[in-house]
Amino acid sequence: MPRSGVLLVSALLMSCLSPALAAATPGAPVCDRQPASYPSAPSGAVVIEASVDADLTAKTKASPPGTTFWLAPGTHTLGKDEFGQVTPKDGDVYLGAPGAVLDGRGVNKFAFTGRAHDVVIRNLTVRGFAAPQDQGVVNHDSGDGWTIENATIERNDGAGLMAGARQQVRHTCLRDNGQYGLNAYQAGDGITGLVLEDNEITGNNTGDWETKVPGCGCSGGAKFWVVDGADVRRNWIHHNHGAGLWADTNNNDFLVEDNLFEANEAEGLFYETSYNLILRDNTFRGNGVVQGRRFADRGDNFPTATVYLSESGGEPRVRARTSSIEITGNTFEDNWSGITLWENADRFCNSPANTSTGYCTRTNGPTPSCAQPEIASGAKYSDCRWKTQRVSVHENTFRFDPGQLGCTVGICGRMAMLANFGTYPDWSPYHGEAVQEAITFGQDNHWRSNTYTGPWRFTAHDTSRTFDAARWQAAPYGQDAGSTFTGS
């Protein structure tokens, strides 16, 4: 059967699954498949009428903490003021009847705001809000302990959803939002224990923010900023206009398993200036094709990636359930490329090239002194850099057919481990090949026991060194011991 036929049959089978069974299946559809729960108001719930504008705002304000609200079927609105919004109290619960929609109509900026704890939102559709750049519609102020289940958050500007500590997002559709589906950022950097399970994250960054603000690093299906502990399981992350998941700056202790990353325009997973990751048993299919072709068309030979580790590695001194980055048991099929391990030799704590302004490495202590003369030697020389180190890539399956992608061998289908030649700033101690040598030979980065199908090529040290599997396995690189190569 042609591959398109296989995918069609798979989709039809998924559509027949009950929501509970579908949720247990990696990559199961969620959007437009929410359970029809709460057909009537639970005992003691405050009824919110769709026919009364801003009824939800008024009744939330008038009710004590811990109230349950039931939104009747229909379209609910929050008034004509751009700051018409709902401010929950601790422990409030919002339940949507079948067909209940909270609609900002392009007028209201935010849906649920404030720092209340332990708010619950279930079976509600939230759409049409006009949040500004980097701000979110649901949990706008990143309150802790929120639970979002069986919800649909779609077609909003900004981020559909923000996150706080201990937030749980389950069986939720984050679809076609202008910037992010989820922006896991909290003022004060206090997000811990984040859980994303059984969600569909698709079509986000409709505003094309990387074109609108070049170099902003402000897009993706989900973006994580200084999150300490996240479990990301069984989600379908697909067709986002940029990266699928992007962890940027001092994130730590991520477990990403049993997800399907499919047809994201850039990376499936981008892990940047962060620490300690387990990436296992995921499927990556058709990612990075748009970005890869864009690079190729402009003559840029940087190895774009499906999994991109940028200045990120294992670090035993940063407490987590692992002290490495372990990439194992994953299947990569017809992506533009494979895994890239990268370090920017000019990006370090206190460097003008550090785009995470105001942030330093988590190993540098509470009083950083990443400047001359301290940075030139000793602990500071090591600890002022975010290092791509202690990465283990093993027992994965990598398959690609350049004919399916319409690309040239050596441009697509690459694995890479490299850095740039250090030049900036003039006081940097990392000039020259120091970081290129370190990431390639001195930082405990290893591929082993993988299975390759297709004409894979490998880039090491710098972009000028791309070669076949035999050289990748031979000295001085010595990579992929015990791996098999077919069709290379």
Side-chain angles (χ1 to χ4, degrees), residues 23 26-27 163 167-171 174 182 184 191 193-201 221-225 227-238 240 244-247 251-261 268-271 276-284 321 330:
Q167 181 158 302
Q168 299 184 39
V169 186
R170 291 191 170 93
H171 205 263
L174 300 173
L182 167 71
I191 299 178
L194 180 62
V195 175
L196 278 72
E197 291 181 333
D198 307 310
N199 304 292
E200 185 173 354
I201 304 172
K223 186 76 180 283
F224 307 86
W225 185 275
V227 173
D228 203 341
D231 290 355
V232 183
R233 297 188 184 95
R234 298 184 305 273
N235 302 284
W236 187 17
I237 303 154
H238 66 103
N240 293 288
L245 301 182
W246 189 343
N251 298 280
N252 173 52
D253 195 16
F254 273 49
L255 172 62
V256 181
E257 64 178 353
D258 293 324
N259 302 282
L260 173 58
F261 295 82
L269 173 64
F270 188 171
Y271 208 66
N276 299 329
L277 160 70
I278 299 170
L279 179 67
R280 69 185 177 204
D281 298 336
N282 302 281
T283 297
F284 295 87
R321 73 197 92 181
N330 303 286

Side-chain angles (χ1 to χ4, degrees), residues 308-322:
Y308 184 22
L309 304 182
S310 178
E311 298 91 30
S312 292
E315 176 51 71
R317 291 173 293 172
V318 178
R319 189 172 183 178
R321 73 197 92 181
T322 181

Side-chain angles (χ1 to χ4, degrees), residues 191-223:
I191 299 178
T192 60
L194 180 62
V195 175
L196 278 72
E197 291 181 333
D198 307 310
N199 304 292
E200 185 173 354
I201 304 172
T202 182
N204 297 289
N205 188 32
T206 60
D208 191 16
W209 278 92
E210 304 299 330
T211 298
K212 188 180 296 185
V213 185
C216 70
C218 59
S219 64
K223 186 76 180 283

Side-chain angles (χ1 to χ4, degrees), residues 278-345:
I278 299 170
L279 179 67
R280 69 185 177 204
D281 298 336
N282 302 281
T283 297
F284 295 87
R285 182 184 301 135
N287 297 283
V289 177
V290 172
Q291 182 186 66
R293 286 179 178 157
R294 187 181 299 129
F295 273 54
D297 289 347
R298 71 186 189 213
D300 189 333
N301 69 342
F302 187 83
T304 61
T306 297
V307 173
Y308 184 22
L309 304 182
S310 178
E311 298 91 30
S312 292
E315 176 51 71
R317 291 173 293 172
V318 178
R319 189 172 183 178
R321 73 197 92 181
T322 181
S323 60
S324 67
I325 289 185
E326 184 179 23
I327 302 174
T328 185
N330 303 286
T331 298
F332 294 74
E333 180 179 352
D334 285 338
N335 304 284
W336 184 264
S337 263
I339 298 169
T340 292
L341 277 56
W342 161 257
E343 274 194 48
N344 180 348

Side-chain angles (χ1 to χ4, degrees), residues 301 303 409-416 418 456-468 471 477:
N301 69 342
V409 173
I411 297 297
C412 63
R414 282 189 289 174
M415 296 285 169
L418 74 166
W456 287 90
R457 295 295 181 265
F458 302 86
T459 298
H461 193 274
D462 60 78
T463 56
S464 71
R465 304 186 191 184
T466 297
F467 36 76
D468 62 14
R471 188 174 174 195
Y477 306 109

